Amino acid sequence: MKMKKLFQFSVLSSMLILSACSGGGEQAAGEKEGKDGSGGAVKADIGVVSYISGPGAAYGEAITSGLKLAQKEINAKGEVDINLVIEDSAGKQDQALTAAQKLINSENVTAIIGPTLSTEMNVVGPEADLSGVPIMGTSTTADGIPQIGDYVFRNSIPEALAIPASMKKAIEKYDAKKVAILYGNDDVFTKSGFDTMKEAAEDMGLEVLTIEQFQKGQSDYNAQLTKIKGLNPDLILCSALYNEGAVIMDQARKMGIDVPFVGGNGFNSPEVIEIAGDAADGLIVATPWYGEKEDPKVKEFVSNFEKEYGKKPDQFAAQAYDALYIMAEALKNAGEADRDALRDALAEVKDFKGILGNFSFDEEGDVVMDPTVLVIEDGAFKIFE
């Protein structure tokens, strides 16, 4: 596998040399190199491509916060010494690719965590795979991400698992028969969520009354919501990022639409409640993360996160936190900061006990884990009974 990747990498080497000439990213404290000569900690630089600036910066802030907290704890244990090299993608494909190329071309970077959006991973993943650099998405839930290549992994539950789980619970609770679907048509993630919603609705025998579209940054959803209101659905299925999703719910409630919303993974953020306020009540989502679990690991993480950052962690912080622990476990098992050895060690991760629950990679580098279905009630995420 290594020789194959080296051969493929040579085709791209001139492009990567050009991108390497740009300035360095933010570094979170730690040492470089591999294992020291005395049998001590495995030392590795882990690159991070995250959505730090722009309209979706809350995702990137949560992710980098989770990573830095995990880094601090992991390094203190002494078996693995991780240095994070953080680059901002601003949620843009071209910037994500440039950031990833810089990391790929650094001989000290053993692996990459990120990028944040599936639409970014669709261009970054193939580049990392061709270059033989292990890459793990912590929030990339669109269909087909791990199938990009042997070096591409994720620890975020895909929409194909999460959305049907939340739909099934909502249908049982509300005896739903008719649904309307609303989705962002200009993003890989939201389009993938829509595909899953439509397929699941058909499989579950639901009548799809209408399918409405919108674009990122849109502020007025009157036309789509007026049509939906007139059709009187039992549920609204919505695939959106938190900015658009929160505005949609706010406008829907103001128009008198009071039916429950079933959202995709983009709704799994406290920002939905922050933006939409009371209008967020009734949103149903499926997630691997629930911060109120009676689990010592979860309680400790929430407490440490609040002490470090002054607020509770969300799903994106939790997934990033577990991702670095998974990476550290694989580095420890590999015994060295070698890209190919780390890739093989990641592929062997099974029954990892994290704050998200019991986690394994399947043969394609995808998630094996059961989601939890939540609903927003009284301004907070709660278990959906």
Side-chain angles (χ1 to χ4, degrees):
M1 184 179 292
K2 186 173 182 179
M3 292 303 296
K4 172 186 172 185
K5 296 299 177 186
L6 287 173
F7 174 76
Q8 292 171 321
F9 177 71
S10 67
V11 179
L12 297 171
S13 59
S14 59
M15 291 172 55
L16 302 180
I17 286 288
L18 289 173
S19 67
C21 295
S22 55
E26 174 190 348
Q27 297 212 0
E31 296 294 328
K32 296 184 180 180
E33 308 296 331
K35 194 168 187 175
D36 69 25
S38 60
V42 179
K43 299 180 180 180
D45 279 9
I46 303 297
V48 178
V49 181
S50 193
Y51 193 164
I52 296 170
S53 63
Y59 291 132
E61 179 187 353
I63 288 166
T64 53
S65 295
L67 290 173
K68 288 178 181 179
L69 180 59
Q71 177 202 21
K72 181 178 177 181
E73 295 173 0
I74 290 164
N75 289 354
K77 293 177 182 177
E79 293 181 296
V80 178
D81 191 342
I82 290 174
N83 177 53
L84 297 176
V85 185
I86 301 171
E87 300 286 344
D88 181 16
S89 72
K92 299 175 181 177
Q93 278 189 327
D94 56 349
Q95 191 165 323
L97 182 58
T98 299
Q101 286 174 331
K102 187 193 304 184
L103 296 169
I104 288 167
N105 200 54
S106 170
E107 63 181 17
N108 290 323
V109 171
T110 307
I112 296 172
I113 288 178
T116 303
L117 303 179
S118 296
T119 188
E120 297 172 308
M121 185 63 96
N122 272 357
V123 296
V124 170
E127 191 90 346
D129 185 62
L130 284 172
S131 305
V133 179
I135 186 166
M136 189 193 309
T138 71
S139 55
T140 47
T141 57
D143 189 42
I145 294 296
Q147 290 75 26
I148 288 172
D150 293 334
Y151 284 71
V152 183
F153 300 81
R154 67 174 163 199
N155 77 320
S156 49
I157 288 183
E159 299 282 59
L161 281 178
I163 288 174
S166 54
M167 286 176 60
K168 184 174 184 292
K169 293 275 285 188
I171 291 165
E172 291 172 353
K173 173 81 171 182
Y174 300 111
D175 192 27
K177 302 289 194 301
K178 305 174 296 179
V179 298
I181 305 179
L182 186 58
Y183 78 100
N185 65 0
D186 58 348
D187 182 88
V188 170
F189 161 70
T190 52
K191 288 171 71 177
S192 176
F194 158 70
D195 290 339
T196 299
M197 287 174 173
K198 184 172 181 291
E199 182 178 353
E202 291 168 352
D203 290 345
M204 295 176 186
L206 298 171
E207 180 184 357
V208 178
L209 300 173
T210 185
I211 297 172
E212 301 296 319
Q213 303 176 13
F214 61 86
Q215 297 180 329
K216 276 190 282 190
Q218 188 169 324
S219 59
D220 183 1
Y221 302 90
N222 182 68
Q224 294 95 328
L225 292 172
T226 298
K227 183 173 181 180
I228 289 171
K229 183 179 180 181
L231 293 170
N232 195 29
D234 299 318
L235 297 172
I236 297 173
L237 313 180
C238 187
S239 181
L241 299 176
Y242 70 75
N243 278 307
E244 292 78 16
V247 174
I248 287 168
M249 290 199 70
D250 182 54
Q251 292 183 10
R253 300 314 188 210
K254 287 174 180 174
M255 291 176 63
I257 299 173
D258 59 3
V259 300
F261 273 73
V262 176
N265 193 55
F267 276 98
N268 287 340
S269 170
E271 293 296 316
V272 174
I273 300 169
E274 187 71 24
I275 296 169
D278 292 343
D281 280 9
L283 172 66
I284 301 159
V285 292
T287 171
W289 169 247
Y290 181 52
E292 304 301 321
K293 278 183 183 175
E294 291 298 321
D295 180 321
K297 278 191 174 184
V298 171
K299 288 180 177 297
E300 182 181 11
F301 167 64
V302 172
S303 175
N304 291 342
F305 193 95
E306 284 190 286
K307 286 176 185 174
E308 194 79 17
Y309 302 110
K311 60 182 176 181
K312 289 184 180 295
D314 65 9
Q315 172 191 320
F316 298 93
Q319 288 178 161
Y321 178 89
D322 260 6
L324 196 64
Y325 266 97
I326 291 167
M327 193 74 76
E329 182 72 13
L331 278 167
K332 185 173 66 173
N333 293 339
E336 58 180 327
D338 176 81
R339 292 173 171 181
D340 293 290
L342 177 57
R343 181 264 159 212
D344 292 343
L346 280 170
E348 294 300 317
V349 170
K350 296 288 185 292
D351 296 321
F352 172 82
K353 305 297 191 296
I355 57 170
L356 300 177
N358 194 50
F359 174 88
S360 300
F361 287 120
D362 68 12
E363 64 279 359
E364 294 183 317
D366 213 344
V367 177
V368 180
M369 179 179 277
D370 294 325
T372 300
V373 181
L374 305 177
V375 62
I376 296 178
E377 288 181 355
D378 301 322
F381 285 101
K382 300 178 181 179
I383 295 288
F384 184 54
E385 303 291 355

